[in-house]
Amino acid sequence: MHKAFGAGLLAATLALVGCNNDDNRDSEEDDLRAEEPRIEAAAGGAGEAALAADLQFAMDSVGYSEKEFVLSGTAVSYLPKGGQSLGTDGQWDVEENDSAAYVTRAVVYQPLDAEAFNGTVIVEWMNVTSGSDSSPVWTYTHNELIREGYALISLSAQAAGVASTKTMDPERYANLLHPGDNYSYDIFSQAGQAVRDHADVLLNGLQPKRVLAAGESQSAYRLVSYANAVHPLVTVYDGYLLQSRLANAAPLATADDVSGSTEIRSDLGVPVLMFQSETDVNEATRQADTSTYRLWEVAGTAHFDVYGGGIGLIDTGDGEGALLALEALLDPPSKVFGFINCDKPINAGPMSFVLSAAVHALNEWITTGTPPASAETLQAIDFTPYSPGYARDAQGNALGGIRTPFVDVPLAMLGGTGNSGGEGFCRLFGTTEPLSADELDTLYPTQQAFVTAWTAATEAAVERGYIRPVDGQALIDAAGRVRVLP
Protein backbone atom coordinates (compact mmCIF):
# COMPACT_ATOMS: atom_id res chain seq x y z
CA MET A 1 0.00 0.00 0.00
CA HIS A 2 2.78 2.45 0.91
CA LYS A 3 5.09 3.91 -1.72
CA ALA A 4 8.68 5.13 -1.50
CA PHE A 5 9.69 8.22 0.45
CA GLY A 6 12.95 8.74 2.40
CA ALA A 7 13.09 12.51 2.69
CA GLY A 8 12.04 12.50 6.33
CA LEU A 9 14.80 10.21 7.54
CA LEU A 10 17.53 11.83 5.45
CA ALA A 11 16.42 15.35 6.36
CA ALA A 12 16.47 14.46 10.04
CA THR A 13 19.96 12.96 9.68
CA LEU A 14 21.20 16.17 8.08
CA ALA A 15 19.70 18.16 10.93
CA LEU A 16 21.38 15.99 13.55
CA VAL A 17 24.83 16.63 12.08
CA GLY A 18 24.21 20.37 12.08
CA CYS A 19 22.85 20.92 8.57
CA ASN A 20 19.73 22.93 7.83
CA ASN A 21 17.21 20.60 6.22
CA ASP A 22 14.87 23.22 4.80
CA ASP A 23 15.80 22.77 1.14
CA ASN A 24 16.61 19.07 0.94
CA ARG A 25 13.28 17.25 0.81
CA ASP A 26 12.25 17.99 -2.75
CA SER A 27 15.56 16.91 -4.26
CA GLU A 28 15.98 13.57 -2.48
CA GLU A 29 15.01 10.10 -3.64
CA ASP A 30 11.80 8.58 -2.39
CA ASP A 31 11.88 5.91 0.29
CA LEU A 32 8.69 5.37 2.28
CA ARG A 33 5.54 7.39 2.01
CA ALA A 34 2.03 7.39 3.44
CA GLU A 35 -1.06 7.34 1.30
CA GLU A 36 -2.61 10.71 0.53
CA PRO A 37 -6.14 11.35 1.82
CA ARG A 38 -8.83 13.19 -0.03
CA ILE A 39 -9.31 16.70 1.37
CA GLU A 40 -12.24 19.08 1.26
CA ALA A 41 -13.31 22.06 3.33
CA ALA A 42 -15.77 21.30 6.13
CA ALA A 43 -19.09 23.07 5.76
CA GLY A 44 -22.60 23.30 7.11
CA GLY A 45 -24.05 22.92 10.57
CA ALA A 46 -22.99 25.59 13.04
CA GLY A 47 -20.43 26.85 10.53
CA GLU A 48 -17.39 26.34 12.74
CA ALA A 49 -15.25 23.55 14.17
CA ALA A 50 -16.69 21.75 17.18
CA LEU A 51 -14.05 21.46 19.91
CA ALA A 52 -14.39 20.65 23.59
CA ALA A 53 -12.11 23.48 24.77
CA ASP A 54 -11.33 26.00 22.04
CA LEU A 55 -9.62 29.35 22.54
CA GLN A 56 -12.11 32.04 23.49
CA PHE A 57 -10.95 34.80 21.17
CA ALA A 58 -11.08 35.33 17.42
CA MET A 59 -8.04 34.02 15.59
CA ASP A 60 -7.87 37.03 13.30
CA SER A 61 -7.40 39.25 16.36
CA VAL A 62 -3.91 37.72 16.70
CA GLY A 63 -3.15 37.49 12.98
CA TYR A 64 -4.21 33.86 12.51
CA SER A 65 -6.95 31.90 10.77
CA GLU A 66 -8.84 28.78 11.82
CA LYS A 67 -10.16 26.49 9.10
CA GLU A 68 -11.56 22.98 9.21
CA PHE A 69 -11.13 20.24 6.61
CA VAL A 70 -12.52 16.75 6.08
CA LEU A 71 -9.91 14.06 5.34
CA SER A 72 -10.98 10.71 3.92
CA GLY A 73 -9.40 7.60 2.50
CA THR A 74 -8.47 4.04 3.37
CA ALA A 75 -6.26 3.34 6.38
CA VAL A 76 -4.40 0.19 7.35
CA SER A 77 -3.90 -1.35 10.76
CA TYR A 78 -0.67 -2.97 11.96
CA LEU A 79 0.30 -6.23 13.67
CA PRO A 80 3.56 -7.45 15.18
CA LYS A 81 5.42 -9.21 12.39
CA GLY A 82 5.23 -12.97 12.60
CA GLY A 83 3.17 -12.79 15.78
CA GLN A 84 6.21 -11.82 17.82
CA SER A 85 5.89 -9.83 21.03
CA LEU A 86 6.66 -6.11 21.10
CA GLY A 87 9.57 -5.48 23.44
CA THR A 88 9.97 -2.76 26.02
CA ASP A 89 13.00 -1.31 24.19
CA GLY A 90 10.75 -0.01 21.41
CA GLN A 91 12.56 -1.95 18.67
CA TRP A 92 9.31 -3.07 17.12
CA ASP A 93 8.90 -4.86 13.82
CA VAL A 94 5.37 -4.67 12.46
CA GLU A 95 3.52 -5.26 9.23
CA GLU A 96 0.31 -4.03 7.67
CA ASN A 97 -2.81 -5.97 8.54
CA ASP A 98 -6.25 -5.13 7.17
CA SER A 99 -7.65 -1.87 5.84
CA ALA A 100 -10.82 0.16 6.28
CA ALA A 101 -12.39 3.36 5.02
CA TYR A 102 -12.34 6.48 7.21
CA VAL A 103 -13.60 10.06 7.16
CA THR A 104 -12.24 12.42 9.80
CA ARG A 105 -11.60 16.12 10.35
CA ALA A 106 -8.65 18.41 10.94
CA VAL A 107 -8.62 21.99 12.25
CA VAL A 108 -5.84 24.16 10.82
CA TYR A 109 -4.41 27.23 12.55
CA GLN A 110 -1.99 29.32 10.49
CA PRO A 111 -0.68 32.88 10.05
CA LEU A 112 -2.80 35.16 7.90
CA ASP A 113 0.41 36.75 6.60
CA ALA A 114 2.39 34.22 4.55
CA GLU A 115 5.59 36.13 5.36
CA ALA A 116 5.07 35.34 9.06
CA PHE A 117 5.12 31.55 8.51
CA ASN A 118 8.29 30.00 9.92
CA GLY A 119 8.05 26.83 7.83
CA THR A 120 7.10 24.45 10.65
CA VAL A 121 3.79 22.61 10.84
CA ILE A 122 2.81 20.74 13.99
CA VAL A 123 0.25 17.96 13.66
CA GLU A 124 -1.36 17.42 17.05
CA TRP A 125 -3.02 14.10 17.80
CA MET A 126 -6.09 15.43 19.57
CA ASN A 127 -6.70 14.14 23.08
CA VAL A 128 -9.90 12.20 23.81
CA THR A 129 -9.51 11.41 27.51
CA SER A 130 -12.67 13.41 28.27
CA GLY A 131 -14.54 11.62 25.48
CA SER A 132 -14.30 14.65 23.17
CA ASP A 133 -11.57 16.14 20.99
CA SER A 134 -9.30 18.75 22.55
CA SER A 135 -5.90 20.21 21.63
CA PRO A 136 -3.91 20.72 24.83
CA VAL A 137 -0.62 21.37 23.00
CA TRP A 138 -2.31 24.20 21.11
CA THR A 139 -3.95 25.53 24.28
CA TYR A 140 -0.71 25.58 26.27
CA THR A 141 1.65 26.85 23.56
CA HIS A 142 -0.49 28.99 21.23
CA ASN A 143 1.27 32.21 22.25
CA GLU A 144 4.66 30.83 21.23
CA LEU A 145 3.26 29.32 18.03
CA ILE A 146 1.51 32.54 17.00
CA ARG A 147 4.39 34.92 17.68
CA GLU A 148 6.88 32.63 15.91
CA GLY A 149 4.64 31.83 12.95
CA TYR A 150 3.99 28.09 13.24
CA ALA A 151 1.03 26.32 11.70
CA LEU A 152 -0.75 23.72 13.84
CA ILE A 153 -3.20 21.06 12.70
CA SER A 154 -5.49 19.48 15.29
CA LEU A 155 -6.39 16.02 14.00
CA SER A 156 -9.28 13.80 15.07
CA ALA A 157 -7.24 10.61 15.00
CA GLN A 158 -9.29 8.40 17.33
CA ALA A 159 -12.74 6.88 17.19
CA ALA A 160 -13.98 8.51 20.42
CA GLY A 161 -13.17 11.97 19.11
CA VAL A 162 -14.99 11.37 15.84
CA ALA A 163 -18.04 9.93 17.59
CA SER A 164 -18.25 12.85 20.00
CA THR A 165 -17.77 15.37 17.20
CA LYS A 166 -20.72 13.87 15.30
CA THR A 167 -22.98 14.39 18.32
CA MET A 168 -21.81 17.99 18.81
CA ASP A 169 -22.92 19.00 15.30
CA PRO A 170 -24.77 16.15 13.54
CA GLU A 171 -25.37 18.18 10.37
CA ARG A 172 -21.79 19.35 9.85
CA TYR A 173 -20.23 15.97 10.64
CA ALA A 174 -22.83 13.56 9.31
CA ASN A 175 -20.34 11.86 6.99
CA LEU A 176 -17.53 11.31 9.51
CA LEU A 177 -16.56 7.66 9.86
CA HIS A 178 -13.93 6.03 12.05
CA PRO A 179 -13.28 2.27 11.75
CA GLY A 180 -11.54 2.03 15.15
CA ASP A 181 -8.33 3.02 16.89
CA ASN A 182 -6.33 0.23 15.24
CA TYR A 183 -6.42 2.44 12.14
CA SER A 184 -5.57 5.66 13.96
CA TYR A 185 -1.84 5.28 13.32
CA ASP A 186 -2.17 5.27 9.55
CA ILE A 187 -4.73 8.09 9.69
CA PHE A 188 -2.08 10.11 11.52
CA SER A 189 0.50 9.25 8.85
CA GLN A 190 -1.85 10.29 6.08
CA ALA A 191 -2.55 13.64 7.74
CA GLY A 192 1.17 14.38 7.90
CA GLN A 193 1.60 13.30 4.27
CA ALA A 194 -1.23 15.64 3.28
CA VAL A 195 0.67 18.55 4.81
CA ARG A 196 3.62 17.77 2.56
CA ASP A 197 1.69 17.04 -0.63
CA HIS A 198 -1.40 19.24 -0.34
CA ALA A 199 -0.21 22.39 1.38
CA ASP A 200 -1.95 24.31 -1.39
CA VAL A 201 -5.24 23.18 0.13
CA LEU A 202 -4.54 22.55 3.82
CA LEU A 203 -2.27 25.58 4.32
CA ASN A 204 -3.67 27.89 1.67
CA GLY A 205 -0.42 27.70 -0.25
CA LEU A 206 2.09 28.04 2.57
CA GLN A 207 5.17 25.89 1.91
CA PRO A 208 6.08 23.64 4.88
CA LYS A 209 9.72 22.83 5.53
CA ARG A 210 9.26 20.72 8.67
CA VAL A 211 6.38 18.60 9.95
CA LEU A 212 6.36 17.71 13.66
CA ALA A 213 4.13 15.33 15.60
CA ALA A 214 2.78 16.30 19.01
CA GLY A 215 0.43 14.86 21.59
CA GLU A 216 -0.41 15.06 25.28
CA SER A 217 -1.37 12.32 27.75
CA GLN A 218 -3.35 9.59 25.96
CA SER A 219 -2.20 11.06 22.64
CA ALA A 220 1.45 10.89 23.74
CA TYR A 221 0.84 7.29 24.82
CA ARG A 222 -0.34 6.49 21.30
CA LEU A 223 2.49 8.43 19.66
CA VAL A 224 4.99 6.25 21.52
CA SER A 225 3.54 3.27 19.66
CA TYR A 226 3.41 5.27 16.44
CA ALA A 227 7.09 6.21 16.71
CA ASN A 228 8.21 2.69 17.58
CA ALA A 229 6.06 0.83 15.05
CA VAL A 230 5.06 3.09 12.16
CA HIS A 231 7.72 5.77 11.85
CA PRO A 232 10.34 3.34 10.48
CA LEU A 233 7.85 2.30 7.79
CA VAL A 234 6.49 5.74 6.88
CA THR A 235 8.92 8.56 7.56
CA VAL A 236 6.43 11.41 7.57
CA TYR A 237 7.45 13.34 10.70
CA ASP A 238 10.69 15.21 11.40
CA GLY A 239 10.40 15.10 15.18
CA TYR A 240 8.12 14.38 18.14
CA LEU A 241 6.92 16.41 21.13
CA LEU A 242 5.51 13.96 23.68
CA GLN A 243 3.84 15.63 26.65
CA SER A 244 2.82 13.85 29.84
CA ARG A 245 3.11 10.17 28.95
CA LEU A 246 2.91 7.27 31.34
CA ALA A 247 5.22 4.27 31.13
CA ASN A 248 3.26 1.95 28.86
CA ALA A 249 2.63 2.28 25.14
CA ALA A 250 -0.74 1.98 23.42
CA PRO A 251 -1.86 -1.27 21.78
CA LEU A 252 -1.61 -1.65 18.02
CA ALA A 253 -4.34 -4.19 17.39
CA THR A 254 -5.14 -6.12 20.56
CA ALA A 255 -5.15 -5.13 24.21
CA ASP A 256 -2.23 -7.42 25.04
CA ASP A 257 0.12 -6.89 22.08
CA VAL A 258 2.03 -4.27 24.07
CA SER A 259 2.99 -4.87 27.68
CA GLY A 260 5.32 -3.35 30.22
CA SER A 261 7.12 -0.02 30.37
CA THR A 262 8.16 0.97 26.88
CA GLU A 263 11.00 3.23 25.76
CA ILE A 264 11.32 5.15 22.51
CA ARG A 265 13.34 3.10 20.07
CA SER A 266 16.98 4.23 19.99
CA ASP A 267 17.27 4.11 16.19
CA LEU A 268 14.29 6.37 15.47
CA GLY A 269 16.51 8.81 13.57
CA VAL A 270 14.61 12.03 14.41
CA PRO A 271 14.53 14.15 17.59
CA VAL A 272 12.12 13.37 20.43
CA LEU A 273 11.52 15.79 23.29
CA MET A 274 9.74 14.14 26.22
CA PHE A 275 8.01 16.67 28.50
CA GLN A 276 6.93 15.32 31.89
CA SER A 277 5.04 17.00 34.71
CA GLU A 278 5.31 15.83 38.32
CA THR A 279 2.18 13.73 37.78
CA ASP A 280 3.73 11.79 34.92
CA VAL A 281 7.31 10.92 35.88
CA ASN A 282 8.14 7.25 35.38
CA GLU A 283 11.16 5.01 34.84
CA ALA A 284 10.45 4.23 31.18
CA THR A 285 10.89 7.83 30.04
CA ARG A 286 14.19 8.09 31.94
CA GLN A 287 16.13 6.50 29.14
CA ALA A 288 19.49 8.19 28.66
CA ASP A 289 19.68 11.35 26.58
CA THR A 290 21.08 10.66 23.12
CA SER A 291 21.60 12.51 19.86
CA THR A 292 17.85 12.10 19.29
CA TYR A 293 16.29 12.03 22.77
CA ARG A 294 15.84 14.64 25.49
CA LEU A 295 13.80 14.41 28.70
CA TRP A 296 12.41 17.49 30.44
CA GLU A 297 10.91 16.92 33.91
CA VAL A 298 9.53 20.18 35.27
CA ALA A 299 9.21 21.00 38.97
CA GLY A 300 5.92 22.45 40.17
CA THR A 301 3.81 21.10 37.32
CA ALA A 302 0.81 18.81 36.97
CA HIS A 303 -0.71 16.76 34.17
CA PHE A 304 -3.34 19.51 33.79
CA ASP A 305 -3.59 22.86 35.54
CA VAL A 306 -5.12 26.30 35.98
CA TYR A 307 -3.74 27.54 32.66
CA GLY A 308 -5.15 24.67 30.61
CA GLY A 309 -8.48 24.85 32.43
CA GLY A 310 -9.07 28.59 32.10
CA ILE A 311 -6.27 31.11 31.69
CA GLY A 312 -4.99 29.61 28.46
CA LEU A 313 -8.37 29.84 26.77
CA ILE A 314 -8.36 33.65 27.01
CA ASP A 315 -4.61 34.38 26.86
CA THR A 316 -3.87 36.46 23.75
CA GLY A 317 -0.17 36.90 24.54
CA ASP A 318 -0.43 40.51 25.71
CA GLY A 319 1.07 39.79 29.14
CA GLU A 320 -2.21 39.44 31.00
CA GLY A 321 -1.86 35.66 30.99
CA ALA A 322 1.36 35.94 33.00
CA LEU A 323 -0.36 38.25 35.47
CA LEU A 324 -3.26 35.81 35.89
CA ALA A 325 -0.75 32.99 36.39
CA LEU A 326 0.88 34.79 39.33
CA GLU A 327 -2.47 35.76 40.83
CA ALA A 328 -3.54 32.11 40.67
CA LEU A 329 -0.62 31.20 42.93
CA LEU A 330 -2.15 33.36 45.64
CA ASP A 331 -5.79 32.44 45.01
CA PRO A 332 -5.99 29.14 43.08
CA PRO A 333 -9.33 27.76 41.86
CA SER A 334 -10.62 24.29 42.67
CA LYS A 335 -13.03 24.25 39.72
CA VAL A 336 -12.09 23.51 36.10
CA PHE A 337 -14.11 24.61 33.06
CA GLY A 338 -16.81 25.75 35.46
CA PHE A 339 -18.15 22.27 36.18
CA ILE A 340 -15.34 19.92 37.33
CA ASN A 341 -15.11 20.39 41.10
CA CYS A 342 -11.95 19.23 42.84
CA ASP A 343 -11.47 18.68 46.55
CA LYS A 344 -8.43 20.98 46.63
CA PRO A 345 -7.24 23.99 44.61
CA ILE A 346 -5.60 22.72 41.42
CA ASN A 347 -2.04 23.25 40.23
CA ALA A 348 -1.12 26.78 39.11
CA GLY A 349 2.42 25.92 38.02
CA PRO A 350 4.62 26.94 35.07
CA MET A 351 3.82 24.24 32.49
CA SER A 352 2.64 26.59 29.72
CA PHE A 353 5.81 28.67 29.89
CA VAL A 354 8.21 25.72 29.86
CA LEU A 355 6.23 23.80 27.23
CA SER A 356 6.45 26.82 24.92
CA ALA A 357 10.22 26.72 25.38
CA ALA A 358 10.15 22.99 24.60
CA VAL A 359 8.44 23.65 21.27
CA HIS A 360 11.11 26.21 20.41
CA ALA A 361 13.92 23.88 21.49
CA LEU A 362 12.58 20.99 19.41
CA ASN A 363 12.17 23.17 16.34
CA GLU A 364 15.70 24.54 16.71
CA TRP A 365 17.02 21.01 17.13
CA ILE A 366 15.45 19.90 13.87
CA THR A 367 16.25 23.10 11.97
CA THR A 368 19.86 23.66 13.04
CA GLY A 369 20.94 20.33 14.52
CA THR A 370 21.60 21.93 17.93
CA PRO A 371 19.94 19.84 20.67
CA PRO A 372 18.66 21.26 23.96
CA ALA A 373 21.02 20.90 26.88
CA SER A 374 20.34 17.84 29.00
CA ALA A 375 18.13 18.71 31.97
CA GLU A 376 18.29 17.50 35.56
CA THR A 377 15.58 15.03 36.50
CA LEU A 378 13.28 15.49 39.48
CA GLN A 379 14.39 13.86 42.72
CA ALA A 380 11.84 11.07 42.66
CA ILE A 381 11.47 8.75 45.64
CA ASP A 382 9.06 6.35 43.93
CA PHE A 383 7.26 6.01 40.59
CA THR A 384 3.69 5.22 41.63
CA PRO A 385 1.51 5.79 38.54
CA TYR A 386 -0.23 9.19 38.68
CA SER A 387 1.24 9.75 42.16
CA PRO A 388 5.05 9.56 42.21
CA GLY A 389 6.80 10.80 45.35
CA TYR A 390 9.53 13.46 45.52
CA ALA A 391 12.09 14.94 47.85
CA ARG A 392 10.85 18.44 48.67
CA ASP A 393 12.22 21.73 49.95
CA ALA A 394 11.17 23.71 53.04
CA GLN A 395 8.14 25.14 51.21
CA GLY A 396 7.06 21.72 49.97
CA ASN A 397 8.13 22.10 46.34
CA ALA A 398 9.85 19.24 44.53
CA LEU A 399 13.62 19.22 44.28
CA GLY A 400 15.49 18.74 41.01
CA GLY A 401 14.06 18.97 37.53
CA ILE A 402 13.76 22.09 35.42
CA ARG A 403 13.60 25.09 37.73
CA THR A 404 11.49 28.22 37.33
CA PRO A 405 10.61 31.14 39.61
CA PHE A 406 7.35 29.37 40.43
CA VAL A 407 9.30 26.95 42.67
CA ASP A 408 12.54 28.81 43.38
CA VAL A 409 10.81 32.04 44.46
CA PRO A 410 7.64 30.41 45.74
CA LEU A 411 4.29 31.96 46.51
CA ALA A 412 2.73 28.52 46.98
CA MET A 413 3.47 24.85 47.37
CA LEU A 414 2.86 23.30 43.95
CA GLY A 415 2.30 19.60 43.42
CA GLY A 416 1.43 17.28 40.59
CA THR A 417 -0.43 14.85 42.82
CA GLY A 418 -2.66 14.76 45.88
CA ASN A 419 -5.99 16.00 44.54
CA SER A 420 -9.27 14.13 44.19
CA GLY A 421 -12.86 14.58 43.09
CA GLY A 422 -14.23 15.48 39.69
CA GLU A 423 -15.10 11.85 38.91
CA GLY A 424 -11.42 10.95 39.03
CA PHE A 425 -10.11 13.68 36.74
CA CYS A 426 -8.83 15.80 39.63
CA ARG A 427 -6.09 13.31 40.46
CA LEU A 428 -4.43 14.64 37.27
CA PHE A 429 -4.82 18.30 38.19
CA GLY A 430 -2.33 18.53 41.05
CA THR A 431 -2.55 21.02 43.91
CA THR A 432 -1.69 24.57 44.89
CA GLU A 433 -1.37 25.53 48.55
CA PRO A 434 -0.62 29.25 48.91
CA LEU A 435 2.02 30.11 51.49
CA SER A 436 0.79 31.79 54.64
CA ALA A 437 1.27 35.51 55.32
CA ASP A 438 3.97 34.67 57.87
CA GLU A 439 5.82 32.46 55.39
CA LEU A 440 5.68 35.14 52.71
CA ASP A 441 6.86 37.80 55.17
CA THR A 442 9.82 35.62 56.16
CA LEU A 443 10.81 34.92 52.56
CA TYR A 444 10.22 38.44 51.24
CA PRO A 445 10.58 41.23 53.82
CA THR A 446 9.49 43.75 51.16
CA GLN A 447 7.65 43.68 47.86
CA GLN A 448 10.86 44.70 46.14
CA ALA A 449 12.67 41.74 47.68
CA PHE A 450 10.16 39.45 46.00
CA VAL A 451 10.44 41.24 42.65
CA THR A 452 14.23 41.12 42.75
CA ALA A 453 14.34 37.41 43.56
CA TRP A 454 11.63 36.56 41.01
CA THR A 455 13.45 38.54 38.31
CA ALA A 456 16.76 36.77 38.96
CA ALA A 457 15.15 33.31 38.89
CA THR A 458 13.23 34.13 35.71
CA GLU A 459 16.34 35.41 33.96
CA ALA A 460 18.18 32.23 34.95
CA ALA A 461 15.42 30.06 33.44
CA VAL A 462 15.47 32.13 30.25
CA GLU A 463 19.25 31.82 30.04
CA ARG A 464 18.99 28.02 30.31
CA GLY A 465 16.35 27.90 27.57
CA TYR A 466 13.49 26.82 29.82
CA ILE A 467 11.41 29.99 29.41
CA ARG A 468 11.19 32.03 26.22
CA PRO A 469 12.55 35.60 26.55
CA VAL A 470 9.22 37.27 25.79
CA ASP A 471 7.48 35.10 28.39
CA GLY A 472 10.26 35.84 30.86
CA GLN A 473 9.73 39.56 30.47
CA ALA A 474 5.97 39.12 30.88
CA LEU A 475 6.54 37.19 34.13
CA ILE A 476 8.93 39.87 35.42
CA ASP A 477 6.44 42.61 34.56
CA ALA A 478 3.66 40.65 36.28
CA ALA A 479 5.74 40.35 39.47
CA GLY A 480 5.77 44.13 39.70
CA ARG A 481 1.97 44.24 39.48
CA VAL A 482 1.04 41.46 41.93
CA ARG A 483 0.93 42.40 45.59
CA VAL A 484 2.33 39.32 47.35
CA LEU A 485 2.55 40.74 50.88
CA PRO A 486 -0.54 41.52 52.97
Side-chain angles (χ1 to χ4, degrees):
M1 173 178 177
H2 294 297
K3 308 169 196 142
F5 182 67
L9 184 57
L10 181 54
T13 302
L14 290 170
L16 290 171
V17 297
C19 298
N20 187 300
N21 65 16
D22 291 352
D23 301 316
N24 291 305
R25 280 193 175 275
D26 293 338
S27 62
E28 291 154 4
E29 293 183 5
D30 286 348
D31 180 14
L32 292 173
R33 171 190 181 91
E35 289 293 324
E36 301 172 16
R38 294 180 294 276
I39 307 168
E40 60 183 343
E48 61 183 10
L51 294 167
D54 203 4
L55 303 183
Q56 302 299 300
F57 52 87
M59 284 292 96
D60 59 5
S61 70
V62 292
Y64 262 58
S65 66
E66 176 183 331
K67 297 180 181 179
E68 187 176 33
F69 296 90
V70 174
L71 279 59
S72 61
T74 301
V76 300
S77 63
Y78 298 92
L79 288 173
K81 186 172 288 187
Q84 62 183 311
S85 61
L86 300 175
T88 59
D89 62 359
Q91 304 290 329
W92 296 357
D93 192 8
V94 305
E95 58 189 359
E96 293 180 5
N97 183 31
D98 58 356
S99 62
Y102 76 90
V103 184
T104 191
R105 58 82 177 260
V107 184
V108 180
Y109 305 92
Q110 69 177 76
L112 289 169
D113 179 5
E115 295 297 318
F117 179 48
N118 72 352
T120 299
V121 180
I122 298 173
V123 181
E124 179 174 2
W125 186 309
M126 279 204 275
N127 180 280
V128 297
T129 299
S130 68
S132 301
D133 277 333
S134 64
S135 295
V137 173
W138 171 244
T139 299
Y140 277 102
T141 68
H142 64 270
N143 285 334
E144 170 68 8
L145 303 185
I146 289 169
R147 65 195 173 213
E148 295 296 327
Y150 293 81
L152 182 137
I153 298 176
S154 296
L155 177 69
S156 286
Q158 288 181 250
V162 168
S164 175
T165 299
K166 288 170 68 74
T167 64
M168 293 170 74
D169 192 336
E171 179 183 346
R172 185 176 180 86
Y173 303 114
N175 294 328
L176 295 192
L177 170 70
H178 201 297
D181 285 352
N182 291 358
Y183 306 90
S184 62
Y185 303 105
D186 194 32
I187 291 172
F188 192 73
S189 292
Q190 292 189 31
Q193 193 66 55
V195 174
R196 298 198 181 281
D197 295 340
H198 296 292
D200 57 331
V201 178
L202 275 179
L203 299 176
N204 196 30
L206 296 182
Q207 294 302 307
K209 298 176 181 178
R210 296 162 293 277
V211 185
L212 312 186
E216 185 264 355
S217 189
Q218 183 179 155
S219 301
Y221 163 79
R222 299 196 72 83
L223 281 177
V224 170
S225 294
Y226 179 91
N228 287 341
V230 183
H231 180 92
L233 304 178
V234 188
T235 52
V236 173
Y237 292 98
D238 296 309
Y240 293 83
L241 175 67
L242 304 182
Q243 177 192 350
S244 294
R245 67 153 290 206
L246 293 178
N248 289 358
L252 292 179
T254 63
D256 60 354
D257 62 13
V258 177
S259 62
S261 299
T262 305
E263 297 182 348
I264 298 292
R265 63 186 305 147
S266 59
D267 61 348
L268 190 65
V270 299
V272 175
L273 199 156
M274 188 74 63
F275 184 103
Q276 297 289 78
S277 78
E278 286 187 26
T279 320
D280 314 306
V281 168
N282 62 79
E283 291 179 285
T285 59
R286 285 191 165 183
Q287 57 193 99
D289 281 359
T290 68
S291 61
T292 58
Y293 186 85
R294 285 294 184 276
L295 170 64
W296 283 18
E297 294 180 353
V298 187
T301 55
H303 191 88
F304 192 74
D305 60 19
V306 170
Y307 190 90
I311 295 173
L313 304 180
I314 59 173
D315 185 5
T316 60
D318 60 0
E320 291 302 302
L323 177 63
L324 292 172
L326 264 70
E327 290 177 341
L329 295 170
L330 299 169
D331 186 21
S334 57
K335 183 175 289 188
V336 181
F337 298 132
F339 64 89
I340 300 177
N341 295 297
C342 298
D343 295 334
K344 298 178 182 179
I346 67 172
N347 183 279
M351 181 159 67
S352 63
F353 300 103
V354 185
L355 189 63
S356 291
V359 170
H360 176 78
L362 178 60
N363 191 54
E364 284 293 296
W365 193 359
I366 294 167
T367 304
T368 70
T370 303
S374 293
E376 182 184 353
T377 56
L378 288 163
Q379 294 185 21
I381 297 172
D382 65 71
F383 296 98
T384 304
Y386 294 116
S387 188
Y390 300 99
R392 297 187 176 274
D393 63 19
Q395 284 73 48
N397 288 307
L399 296 172
I402 287 177
R403 312 300 296 178
T404 69
F406 286 75
V407 289
D408 285 345
V409 188
L411 296 176
M413 180 183 73
L414 296 166
T417 63
N419 216 330
S420 56
E423 297 183 353
F425 282 107
C426 293
R427 69 172 178 161
L428 303 175
F429 297 169
T431 57
T432 301
E433 185 178 332
L435 301 183
S436 68
D438 287 343
E439 289 174 307
L440 291 172
D441 188 57
T442 299
L443 289 171
Y444 317 114
T446 65
Q447 176 75 17
Q448 187 56 49
F450 165 73
V451 173
T452 299
W454 181 273
T455 298
T458 302
E459 290 175 343
V462 170
E463 177 67 23
R464 296 184 181 105
Y466 300 142
I467 293 178
R468 299 291 290 132
V470 64
D471 287 333
Q473 189 58 56
L475 288 169
I476 291 170
D477 293 343
R481 298 171 61 188
V482 173
R483 193 72 186 173
V484 302
L485 301 177

